[in-house]
Amino acid sequence: AEAMPETVQPEQIEGREDIRKLPLVTIDGVDARDFDDAVYCRPEKKGWTLWVAIADVSAYVRPGTPLDVEAHRRGTSVYFPQRVIPMLPEKLSNGLCSLNPDVDRLCMVCEMRLLPDGSVDKAKFYEGVMRSKARLIYEDVADILDNPDGELARQRSTLVPHLQALDAAFEALFAARLKRGAIDFDSTETRIVFGADRKIEKIVPVKRNRAHRLIEECMIAANVESAKMVEKAKVPSLYRIHDDPDATKVLALREFLAGRALRLGGGATPKAMDYAKTLASVKGRPDAGLVQTVLLRSLMQAQYNAVNSGHFGLALTHYAHFTSPIRRYPDLLLHRAIKYALLAGQGRSFLRRKKVEPFMYTTEQMVAFGAHCSMAERRADDATRDVSTWLKCEF
């Protein structure tokens, strides 16, 4: 990694779509240092065009190289309070790959045409080169959207119309989400604030605001389109799947709910919509937190798999992880699959002229990748949870 140049080189840009003029921005947490994703939205006659630009890690991390072998071994970055153990060296994760403001960066772009009902009319993927116009944080974006005449909005006046267009597109995407019945657990995350000598000063709740949801919906839309793209191209890849709940767990859940005068619809095979309705019915009740926890525990764990079986919790038939290749290995694998699909799909005449080599991975290899990446994700979650619990106990 150290041998790599500090900046994007002119020869790397050749053949890429130049989207440096687009006012793409990153929106992240206040202490984020690796910026995977940038967004821009433009209103159209009917609906919007939404650009989701993702760091092109696969341009730097080549299959089989020491960087790739180590990234696979780690599987994911691990985020502890005050410390990150990154999947990639900082030269890449905070530098070359990170979509920092006002510098050229290589990216993979998902450009989507959104209709007023929140559905994606069409989507296209391409390799691009971009320049982020601003590094924004969730709290500021939420403030600008709530107070378009306020002080923050005045400071960022050129970006306000773009953020408002994003917000309008988010409204449509979120309405579509509610309509299909995706489960929306309302959990309160906490942030540990350290003072002098790394002693814990306080533990504060992290409030999810409108900007968090906005970015989440944009990312979900791009993830869905990427899963559809590789499936259509028949390229071996990893899907993010979430199986239907186990029948015995559903039975136990129904007994628990009955004891609280609640019910879950859907008979033996409840859908996400049934869960969503039960969740909505407990809002405001003193035991809402408990009911939510029990509902959550009845669900299966999401995992990575080479066979697409849909995502129960999000109520989606297609879902993959495309938007965080700096910190998740499955996303890097998906980028490679998309690039191959783009290469192999450059017009049928192109294929006759130039024999495209088979994709570097087989479905069997993807199955092994899926099992390893699912394990690495659980390992990271367990480690993070252990550390947080330990710190909270000490506090």
Side-chain angles (χ1 to χ4, degrees), residues 42-89:
R42 184 177 71 200
E44 305 291 351
K45 269 203 189 105
K46 268 180 71 179
W48 306 267
T49 300
L50 173 64
W51 283 264
V52 175
I54 306 297
D56 188 358
V57 176
S58 61
Y60 297 98
V61 181
R62 302 290 184 185
T65 56
L67 274 175
D68 184 47
V69 172
E70 183 62 17
H72 168 259
R73 194 175 75 83
R74 295 180 179 216
T76 177
S77 294
V78 189
Y79 293 86
F80 293 114
Q82 273 206 323
R83 175 150 185 237
V84 180
I85 298 180
M87 180 178 85
L88 298 168

Side-chain angles (χ1 to χ4, degrees), residues 11 25 50 53 66 108 118 130 150 158 163 176 220 228 292 305 312 316 329 348 390-391 395:
E11 65 272 13
V25 296
L50 173 64
M108 286 294 290
M130 64 162 284
T158 53
L163 292 175
I220 289 173
K228 287 180 176 172
Q292 174 167 295
N305 203 305
F312 177 84
L316 291 165
Y329 196 73
R348 295 291 156 241
W390 179 71
L391 287 169
F395 183 62

Side-chain angles (χ1 to χ4, degrees), residues 43-193:
E44 305 291 351
K45 269 203 189 105
K46 268 180 71 179
W48 306 267
T49 300
L50 173 64
W51 283 264
V52 175
I54 306 297
D56 188 358
V57 176
S58 61
Y60 297 98
V61 181
R62 302 290 184 185
T65 56
L67 274 175
D68 184 47
V69 172
E70 183 62 17
H72 168 259
R73 194 175 75 83
R74 295 180 179 216
T76 177
S77 294
V78 189
Y79 293 86
F80 293 114
Q82 273 206 323
R83 175 150 185 237
V84 180
I85 298 180
M87 180 178 85
L88 298 168
E90 285 196 9
K91 170 90 176 248
L92 289 173
S93 61
N94 297 357
L96 261 179
C97 293
S98 185
L99 305 180
N100 302 330
D102 305 317
V103 287
D104 289 357
R105 285 291 181 255
L106 303 180
C107 58
M108 286 294 290
V109 184
C110 174
E111 185 184 320
M112 292 167 277
R113 186 81 176 75
L114 285 182
L115 296 178
D117 67 354
S119 63
V120 176
D121 185 32
K122 53 178 182 275
K124 64 175 178 176
F125 288 83
Y126 49 86
E127 295 173 70
V129 55
M130 64 162 284
R131 259 180 110 88
S132 167
K133 299 294 179 276
R135 136 97 166 117
L136 303 175
I137 62 170
Y138 292 122
E139 290 72 21
D140 290 357
V141 172
D143 185 312
I144 290 168
L145 292 173
D146 289 341
N147 309 297
D149 301 322
E151 181 55 38
L152 268 177
R154 272 200 295 279
Q155 288 169 17
R156 297 282 195 181
S157 56
T158 53
L159 295 175
V160 173
H162 304 317
L163 292 175
Q164 287 174 329
L166 260 176
D167 191 47
F170 154 68
E171 288 276 356
L173 286 167
F174 196 68
R177 177 196 181 109
L178 292 176
K179 192 175 171 188
R180 67 171 191 267
I183 309 173
D184 201 21
F185 287 111
D186 196 20
S187 60
T188 303
E189 303 211 348
T190 52
R191 188 162 65 88
I192 297 174
V193 180

Side-chain angles (χ1 to χ4, degrees), residues 246-259 264 294 298:
D246 175 69
T248 50
K249 281 190 172 179
V250 170
L251 212 62
L253 172 64
R254 287 188 191 289
E255 282 178 17
F256 167 82
L257 291 173
L264 176 73
V294 177
S298 72

Side-chain angles (χ1 to χ4, degrees), residues 13-46:
I13 294 172
E14 279 169 34
R16 287 177 175 263
E17 192 115 350
D18 189 342
I19 57 168
R20 286 177 284 194
K21 294 268 192 294
L22 288 185
L24 288 149
V25 296
T26 60
I27 305 174
D28 290 274
V30 67
D31 39 14
R33 286 200 303 279
D34 48 353
F35 310 126
D36 282 291
D37 52 271
V39 288
Y40 165 58
C41 185
R42 184 177 71 200
E44 305 291 351
K45 269 203 189 105
K46 268 180 71 179

